[in-house]
Amino acid sequence: MDQALLIEKIILVLTMLGITLLIATYSTYAERKVAAFLQDRLGPDRAGPFGLLQPLADAGKMFFKEELIPAASEKWLFIMGPGIAMFTACMTGAAIPWGTELHIFGYTLNMQIADIDIGILYIIGFVSMGVYGIMIGGWASNNKYSLYGAIRASSQMISYELAMGLSIIAVVMMSGSLSLKEIAAQQSGMNWNVWYQPLGFVIFFTCALAECNRAPFDLPECETELIGGYHVEYSSMKLGFYLFAEYINMFISSAVIATLYFGGYNFPFQDMISSPALLGWLQFIALFAKIFFFIFVFMWIRWTLPRFRYDQLMHLGWKSLIPLAILNMVITAAVVIARNNGF
Amino acid sequence: MNVPIDQYIYLSSLLFCIGVFGVLLRRNAIVVLMCIELMLNAVNLLFVSLSSYMGDASGQIFVFFIMVVAAAEASVGLAILVMVYRNTRSVDIGFLDKLRK
Amino acid sequence: MMDNIPFLIFSFITILTALGTVTARNPVYSVLFLVLTFFALSGHYILLNAQFIAVVNLIVYAGAIMVLFLFVLMLLNLNKDSEAPRPWLWQISAALSAGMLLVVLAGSMREASLYLVKGGPEAGEIGLVKNLGKALFTEFVVPFEISSILFLAAMVGAVMIGKKEKQQA
C-alpha cells in the first residue's frame, strides 16, 4: 500500500512537472502569437504548421549558443541564480489541487500532489523565495545594470507581497481554511469566491502581475533603461532558465488565481454529471481552461498597457493596493462576523 | 522519529555559541546583526523542540512572538545602519565609538 | 538508529551553514548561508511536527528578513571584502570564549531535569494551525495585540530614521 502510494505520487509529480514545462514552452509560442494578433501581424509561422515547432527551434538555438561567464563575476552564484529561479518556480505547483480524482485504467488517481493543511502559506513561502534567484543572478553578474534590475525586482516583490498576502487573508477568512483543497471544494458549481471578493481578486491579480515581473510591472528587465535588467550578462541556457522560470511563474499564478477566486476545478452544472470518471476528466479540463484564459489575460495586458515608471509602481503598491487590501479585509471580517452571529 | 531531547538541546546550544562567536569575531555591523538572528533562531529551535516533546503549544506561540520581535528588530536595525553608513561611509562597528571620545 | 538520519543530516547542514555565515568574508555569502540555515531549521521543525512554524519561519526569516539584509548590502554596495580581519589573538579569544560558553551551556543542560520530557514528539497535533490559532487568540491575545503595536512602532521608527534629513538652511 505504502509503495503503491509512493509510485502514484512519483508519477503524478513527474506528470505535473512535464505538463508545467510543456505549457511554459508553448506559452512562449502563445505569447508571440498573441502579440502578433494584437499588433495585426502574422507571428511565427515558418517552423512546422502554423509555426508550432517554433518553441523547439528556440530551445535548440538556446542550447547551441555560446555560454559566457563574465570574468569578474562570482562564478558559483552566477550559475546558481537561474537554478534557484527555476527550482522555486517548479516547487509551487505541489500544493495546487489539479482536480479531484482521475480514473485511468481502473486506478483512481488523487490529483493533488501534497494536501498540506497550510497549502496557501506554502505557496506564499516559495513565491517569496523566488526573489533570491533574481537577486543572486543580478548581483553575481558584477554589472551595474543587472544590479539595478535585481534591486528593483526585490523591492517590487517585497512591496507587492504585502498586498497579495492581505488579499489572500480575506479569502482565508471566508473559507475558514488554509488548505487549497478545502478552498477549492467550497466553491462547487458557480459559488466562486470572485463574486464575494471582486476587489480582492483585482488586488491579487495586480500583485500576481508584479510578482511575475510581467508588464506593466516588468521594470526589473526593462530594455529601455536597463538594457535587459538582471539577466544582462546571461547567455545560452542560463538565460533560457530565467525566461522559462517567468513563464512557469505565470502558469502557476494563473492556477492559483483560478483556484482561489474562480472555483478551481469546479464548473457550472457539474452536479448533473453522474459518472465520476467523466466528472474527473471534465474538472481537470475546466481547471486548465481557466488557467489558459488567465495566461491569455496576462499576455493581453502585456501587449496593451505601457510600462509604469518606478515611482508610479511604488505609489500604486504602497498607497493604493495596500490600503484597499486592508479595507477589503476589514469589510470581509465584518461580514463574516455578522453572518456567524445570524444576521 | 526517536531523537532524544538532549540532542536538540546540544544542537541549539551549539548554534547559539556559533552566533556568539560571530558577534565577537566580525566587524561588519550587518553581519553582527545576522549573527544575532542566528542566536534567536537557536532559541527558537529549543522552544519548538521542547514544546513538541512536552505537548504544549505555548512554546510554539512564543516562537511566533520571537519572530515578530526579530522582524521589528531587523527593520529598525537596518534603518539605523543605513543612516550610519550615510554619515560615516562605513558599517564597521569600530567606528561607532564616537560618543566615548 | 535509522530514525535519526534525517535529524543528523539537518543538524549537519545547520551547523555547517551557521559556521559559513559567521566565517564568510563576503557579507553576501553570509546572507546566503544564513538562508540555508533557516531552511535546515525549517526541516527540523517539520521533523518535530511543527508545520506552521516551519512555513512561517521560511516566510518571515528567509522570505522577508534576509531579503531585507541582502537588499541593504546591495544598496550600500558592501559586497567587496572591505572588512579588515581581526588580529589573530582576537580571533582565538573569540573562539575560546564561545567554546567556553558552549561547555557551560551543555554542562548545565546535562544536569537539567530532562526526565520530564522523555519520549518522542507528540503526534502532530499541537503544530497544526488550528490548535496554535486557538491558543494564540484566547490565552495569548493580549501579547498578540501588543505585538501589533510593536510592529507599528518599528515601522514608523524605520521610516523616520531612514528619511533623508532636510538640508539645514
Side-chain angles (χ1 to χ4, degrees):
Chain A
M1 176 54 212
D2 220 0
Q3 261 180 347
L5 190 70
L6 192 68
I7 292 171
E8 184 193 311
K9 288 294 175 197
I10 289 174
I11 290 174
L12 192 63
V13 167
L14 292 180
T15 320
M16 285 325 300
L17 204 59
I19 291 178
T20 309
L21 294 181
L22 187 74
I23 288 179
T25 317
Y26 271 88
S27 295
T28 62
Y29 170 76
E31 174 119 79
R32 290 168 158 208
K33 277 291 188 194
V34 170
F37 173 69
L38 290 175
Q39 296 169 346
D40 206 9
R41 298 187 276 118
L42 275 182
D45 65 343
R46 296 288 135 164
F50 308 109
L52 272 175
L53 298 178
Q54 187 68 38
L56 295 182
D58 283 343
K61 185 198 76 173
M62 281 286 187
F63 268 115
F64 288 116
K65 270 184 160 180
E66 187 185 356
E67 174 123 32
L68 282 176
I69 296 181
S73 65
E74 299 278 333
K75 192 165 172 246
W76 287 108
L77 292 186
F78 188 79
I79 296 170
M80 258 169 67
I84 295 175
M86 195 75 176
F87 175 75
T88 50
C90 290
M91 282 295 281
T92 30
I96 295 172
W98 299 104
T100 43
E101 22 189 57
L102 277 192
H103 298 266
I104 308 168
F105 309 124
Y107 282 107
T108 309
L109 197 61
N110 183 0
M111 285 305 288
Q112 194 176 16
I113 294 171
D115 178 23
I116 320 170
D117 67 334
I118 43 175
I120 189 77
L121 289 181
Y122 168 87
I123 287 181
I124 298 179
F126 268 98
V127 165
S128 62
M129 222 57 59
V131 70
Y132 280 109
I134 293 174
M135 283 186 95
I136 289 174
W139 176 76
S141 306
N142 199 15
N143 176 321
K144 61 181 140 189
Y145 291 111
S146 55
L147 186 64
Y148 273 127
I151 289 179
R152 281 185 177 188
S154 54
S155 50
Q156 170 181 332
M157 285 173 100
I158 294 177
S159 316
Y160 279 79
E161 245 164 43
L162 290 177
M164 191 182 215
L166 288 172
S167 60
I168 289 177
I169 286 176
V171 174
V172 170
M173 279 196 294
M174 272 182 53
S175 60
S177 170
L178 288 166
S179 150
L180 280 172
K181 187 181 185 179
E182 185 66 30
I183 292 175
Q186 283 178 0
Q187 311 176 48
S188 70
M190 279 299 272
N191 189 23
W192 295 351
N193 276 339
V194 69
W195 312 132
Y196 309 105
Q197 291 283 338
L199 182 61
F201 162 67
V202 172
I203 295 167
F204 188 89
F205 188 76
T206 318
C207 295
L209 281 175
E211 290 283 317
C212 295
N213 295 326
R214 290 286 300 184
F217 302 107
D218 58 345
L219 284 119
E221 44 189 288
C222 86
E223 308 89 350
T224 43
E225 298 160 34
L226 297 180
I227 312 173
Y230 56 87
H231 49 52
V232 137
E233 296 280 0
Y234 281 89
S235 58
S236 183
M237 211 49 209
K238 292 207 196 67
L239 175 66
F241 262 37
Y242 269 130
L243 301 182
F244 218 66
E246 184 187 321
Y247 284 101
I248 295 177
N249 278 330
M250 199 163 88
F251 168 63
I252 297 287
S253 35
S254 301
V256 174
I257 291 170
T259 311
L260 282 182
Y261 291 99
F262 284 82
Y265 46 75
N266 294 299
F267 56 94
F269 311 117
Q270 61 181 0
D271 301 333
M272 291 160 76
I273 297 164
S274 51
S275 146
L278 181 67
L279 184 65
W281 280 104
L282 282 179
Q283 285 180 329
F284 187 65
I285 292 168
L287 176 62
F288 273 85
K290 289 171 191 170
I291 292 174
F292 289 146
F293 174 72
F294 281 110
I295 292 180
F296 171 70
V297 174
F298 269 61
M299 290 170 179
W300 185 9
I301 288 174
R302 170 166 178 184
W303 296 104
T304 310
L305 292 180
R307 181 180 293 136
F308 280 105
R309 245 180 19 233
Y310 200 70
D311 58 325
Q312 290 172 331
L313 174 113
M314 283 294 160
H315 278 267
L316 179 69
W318 288 97
K319 295 189 181 164
S320 320
L321 288 183
I322 291 181
L324 277 179
I326 292 176
L327 183 72
N328 185 41
M329 195 177 86
V330 171
I331 293 173
T332 312
V335 172
V336 168
I337 289 176
R339 264 200 187 172
N340 287 352
N341 290 333
F343 282 107
Chain B
M1 263 284 293
N2 204 6
V3 183
I5 184 76
D6 316 35
Q7 296 195 12
Y8 276 108
I9 290 174
Y10 292 136
L11 175 65
S12 64
S13 313
L14 185 56
L15 213 54
F16 189 85
C17 291
I18 292 174
V20 171
F21 176 54
V23 171
L24 293 174
L25 184 71
R26 301 301 296 254
R27 282 171 188 270
N28 188 332
I30 296 180
V31 182
V32 170
L33 259 186
M34 284 197 284
C35 293
I36 294 171
E37 299 288 335
L38 196 60
M39 287 153 70
L40 285 174
N41 268 277
V43 178
N44 282 356
L45 179 65
L46 195 60
F47 265 120
V48 173
S49 58
L50 279 172
S51 136
S52 183
Y53 274 64
M54 295 177 78
D56 186 348
S58 326
Q60 295 187 22
I61 302 278
F62 214 91
V63 170
F64 188 76
F65 287 125
I66 291 178
M67 285 178 184
V68 169
V69 173
E73 173 232 314
S75 61
V76 175
L78 284 174
I80 291 173
L81 285 182
V82 169
M83 281 319 280
V84 166
Y85 184 79
R86 262 191 209 148
N87 289 325
T88 65
R89 292 278 128 202
S90 161
V91 287
D92 194 316
I93 44 174
F95 275 85
L96 298 180
D97 55 0
K98 293 264 164 62
L99 273 182
R100 211 172 57 186
K101 285 168 191 163
Chain C
M1 198 56 210
M2 286 297 283
D3 294 348
N4 281 350
I5 286 180
F7 170 78
L8 290 178
I9 293 174
F10 281 131
S11 307
F12 187 68
I13 300 174
T14 313
I15 292 166
L16 218 62
T17 50
L19 280 174
T21 310
V22 170
T23 52
R25 295 296 312 276
N26 190 329
V28 173
Y29 279 88
S30 284
V31 171
L32 298 177
F33 274 124
L34 197 52
V35 172
L36 286 180
T37 314
F38 292 145
F39 265 93
L41 282 175
S42 277
H44 277 301
Y45 297 157
I46 289 172
L47 288 185
L48 287 165
N49 282 326
Q51 294 93 337
F52 180 67
I53 292 291
V55 173
V56 168
N57 186 47
L58 280 190
I59 295 176
V60 173
Y61 274 114
I65 296 183
M66 293 329 285
V67 174
L68 202 61
F69 274 100
L70 202 54
F71 185 76
V72 168
L73 282 175
M74 287 182 177
L75 204 65
L76 302 186
N77 206 13
L78 290 174
N79 43 34
K80 290 165 218 88
D81 302 336
S82 49
E83 185 184 351
R86 297 272 198 198
W88 268 107
L89 203 60
W90 189 299
Q91 292 188 12
I92 293 171
S93 48
L96 267 181
S97 17
M100 283 194 290
L101 180 64
L102 177 63
V103 170
V104 171
L105 278 180
S108 60
M109 294 294 183
R110 258 190 56 166
E111 299 300 321
S113 43
L114 290 175
Y115 60 88
L116 284 173
V117 280
K118 282 279 149 55
E122 300 277 316
E125 280 300 309
I126 336 150
L128 294 186
V129 74
K130 199 183 267 175
N131 300 317
L132 282 185
K134 258 183 201 142
L136 190 60
F137 288 106
T138 52
E139 211 179 327
F140 294 94
V141 68
V142 176
F144 180 77
E145 297 294 340
I146 292 173
S147 71
S148 71
I149 297 172
L150 172 74
F151 256 137
L152 191 64
M155 205 167 81
V156 173
V159 170
M160 279 309 294
I161 295 168
K163 230 168 68 175
K164 271 216 174 75
E165 284 170 42
K166 287 201 184 87
Q167 291 293 320
Q168 276 165 5

